[in-house]
Amino acid sequence: MTENQDLGIDIELDEEVAQGNYSNLAIISHSTSEFIIDFAAVLPGVEKARVKSRVILTPEHAKRLLRSLQDNIVRYESAMGKIEIPSPQVSPNMGPKMGEA
């Protein structure tokens, strides 16, 4: 989040983490003390999606992430154009029935 840059924190990114994980599904849950975001990839014709990454945040950091994502989306859309979200197409073999992210 942008606060890290303002605080002058040196952030290290090793090669394996820098490769990242593709995700087209995020499952978000929360308790009184934390937000949990599981990132997974759902493939056509595959009924099971494997979680590739889990991020656990305090409620305060979750709200900071929300604000940072919103700010970045606004900047992206001003440079690249509006991001259109198509209506979901229902297919019997599209994978698990879960909420969208």
Side-chain angles (χ1 to χ4, degrees):
M1 290 168 245
T2 57
E3 288 89 6
N4 292 342
Q5 294 169 352
D6 297 340
L7 296 173
I9 297 172
D10 186 22
I11 298 175
E12 185 176 318
L13 180 64
D14 67 43
E15 227 176 285
E16 185 177 332
V17 174
Q19 295 299 312
N21 290 308
Y22 175 76
S23 174
N24 58 7
L25 174 70
I27 302 162
I28 303 170
S29 56
H30 68 276
S31 69
T32 57
S33 59
E34 61 199 15
F35 278 74
I36 300 153
I37 309 172
D38 288 328
F39 294 95
V42 178
L43 302 174
V46 178
E47 293 185 25
K48 194 174 198 177
R50 183 176 298 247
V51 173
K52 294 292 191 171
S53 182
R54 171 174 278 187
V55 177
I56 303 169
L57 305 161
T58 64
E60 294 83 7
H61 281 110
K63 194 161 193 176
R64 285 186 183 106
L65 175 62
L66 172 69
R67 289 178 178 166
S68 183
L69 280 171
Q70 184 61 47
D71 180 55
N72 276 271
I73 289 171
V74 167
R75 286 187 293 170
Y76 176 93
E77 288 183 330
S78 69
M80 306 293 214
K82 186 173 179 180
I83 300 169
E84 298 293 336
I85 300 176
S87 299
Q89 296 177 346
V90 179
S91 173
N93 295 327
M94 270 188 79
K97 307 289 187 259
M98 297 181 191
E100 291 183 34

